[in-house]
Amino acid sequence: MTNGRKGDVRPIMVAGNWKMNGLNADAEHLTQAILDAGLTPASPEVVLFPPFTLLPMVHQVAKGSSLRWGGQNLFWESHGAYTGEISGAMLRDHGCRYVLIGHSERRQIFQETDEIVLKKVKAALHSGLIPMVCIGESEQERLQGNTEEVLRRQVEAILPALGSAGQQANMVLAYEPIWAIGTGKTAGPEQAQEVHAFVRGLIAAKNPDIARKILLLYGGSVKANNAQSLFSQPDIDGGLVGGASLQAAEFLQICQAAHVVARGL
Ligand code: PEP
């Protein structure tokens, strides 16, 4: 479901997933470097996902700016005896507007199922957070020709939480082929576009209005040298960046690529 006029309805977004990296000094430096680059309302929306421990620093440095940030995970209950977990309200308390849900590392290492992902998406929405839900196939699933089946299952699992027609999209999706995460292998722009169009089509089958408005980010070894060709694709609305988001200069070049694409739309 290609939409050649994406700029009319969908802004471009660049998100940085710091994963389990960084101490306070790193968070201060990276956040300040991004602010110093002078983000303006015309720039891509930039969202940082620091580890929980660095949220207070990001909050302190970026408060009042157009930069956004979020948690890398949350628990579906609001409070109580859940040692080691973090609730949506706690993230909101640190200025978070977003939360990452269902990253492939959580699905694979921490056995998060589609059911758990849906519970977390509902909890995030209930807390007033915008979930950024990650979906994507493994290398084996792709080689076996199961990419569409896997994505259909992952997308359909969260459709019950999708907003209603006439409203703004209440979540962001990030297509991250697992074989491209942290490997230096990237889906080619046309290959990624094909999958994004498929995913948008799955959403359109339930809600065409939201399908036009929802941001679909691409993730998987996005770097300064491939960002522009990926973000120029009609159904790719920006990127979720892992490794390259830890280096201010590289991350800012990716934001710059998004800015160039946004201006050309
Ligand atoms: C990620 O972990 O979300 C990611 C896309 O990582 P990388 O950019 O390092 O492949």
Side-chain angles (χ1 to χ4, degrees):
M1 185 196 162
T2 297
N3 181 344
R5 290 157 44 85
K6 69 178 178 180
D8 292 349
V9 278
R10 303 192 299 273
I12 287 209
M13 178 181 281
V14 178
N17 174 14
W18 295 359
K19 310 196 186 193
M20 196 176 75
N21 293 294
L23 301 175
N24 272 312
D26 306 302
E28 185 175 17
H29 165 75
L30 263 173
T31 310
Q32 194 58 57
I34 294 164
L35 291 177
D36 290 347
L39 300 173
T40 67
S43 306
E45 181 159 354
V46 178
V47 186
L48 302 179
F49 291 102
F52 294 138
T53 53
L54 301 183
L55 285 171
M57 176 58 82
V58 172
H59 190 184
Q60 183 189 314
V61 177
K63 197 172 182 176
S65 74
S66 60
L67 194 58
R68 304 284 174 241
W69 58 95
Q72 295 176 12
N73 184 27
L74 88 171
F75 191 54
W76 57 78
E77 294 291 349
S78 61
H79 63 278
Y82 304 104
T83 303
E85 295 295 329
I86 295 278
S87 73
M90 291 170 181
L91 294 177
R92 287 291 305 262
D93 201 28
H94 285 283
C96 291
R97 186 170 290 196
Y98 290 88
V99 60
L100 266 188
I101 297 179
H103 190 281
S104 62
E105 287 150 19
R106 296 220 55 93
R107 292 183 191 255
Q108 291 191 316
I109 304 170
F110 302 100
Q111 282 82 47
E112 289 195 1
T113 61
D114 289 331
E115 291 70 33
I116 288 177
V117 168
L118 176 60
K119 281 169 104 166
K120 290 188 172 189
V121 168
K122 286 182 173 169
L125 293 170
H126 188 72
S127 309
L129 290 162
I130 301 172
M132 184 179 290
V133 185
C134 302
I135 55 174
E137 81 287 0
S138 66
E139 183 151 42
Q140 198 187 6
E141 287 162 341
R142 175 164 279 265
L143 292 175
Q144 288 170 345
N146 293 335
T147 299
E148 292 195 349
E149 186 189 320
V150 170
L151 294 172
R152 181 185 299 279
R153 197 198 67 228
Q154 293 175 339
V155 171
E156 285 184 350
I158 51 168
L159 285 183
L162 199 68
S164 321
Q167 297 178 340
Q168 286 307 308
N170 60 358
M171 60 180 86
V172 175
L173 295 194
Y175 167 58
E176 300 205 302
I178 298 170
W179 47 270
I181 296 182
T183 59
K185 294 187 207 167
T186 322
E190 289 81 19
Q191 188 184 17
Q193 162 59 26
E194 201 178 302
V195 176
H196 279 235
F198 172 73
V199 170
R200 203 177 295 284
L202 292 174
I203 298 165
K206 159 131 184 179
N207 189 329
D209 180 46
I210 296 292
R212 259 183 346 107
K213 295 175 185 164
I214 195 166
L215 298 190
L216 302 184
L217 309 188
Y218 169 80
S221 298
V222 174
K223 306 275 185 251
N225 63 9
N226 58 24
Q228 196 172 333
S229 58
L230 285 160
F231 302 166
S232 304
Q233 296 297 319
D235 286 294
I236 300 183
D237 306 314
L240 176 55
V241 184
S245 71
L246 294 169
Q247 300 146 25
E250 179 89 10
F251 187 66
L252 285 167
Q253 282 182 58
I254 294 170
C255 295
Q256 180 58 25
H259 185 52
V260 168
V261 172
R263 282 191 0 181
L265 287 172

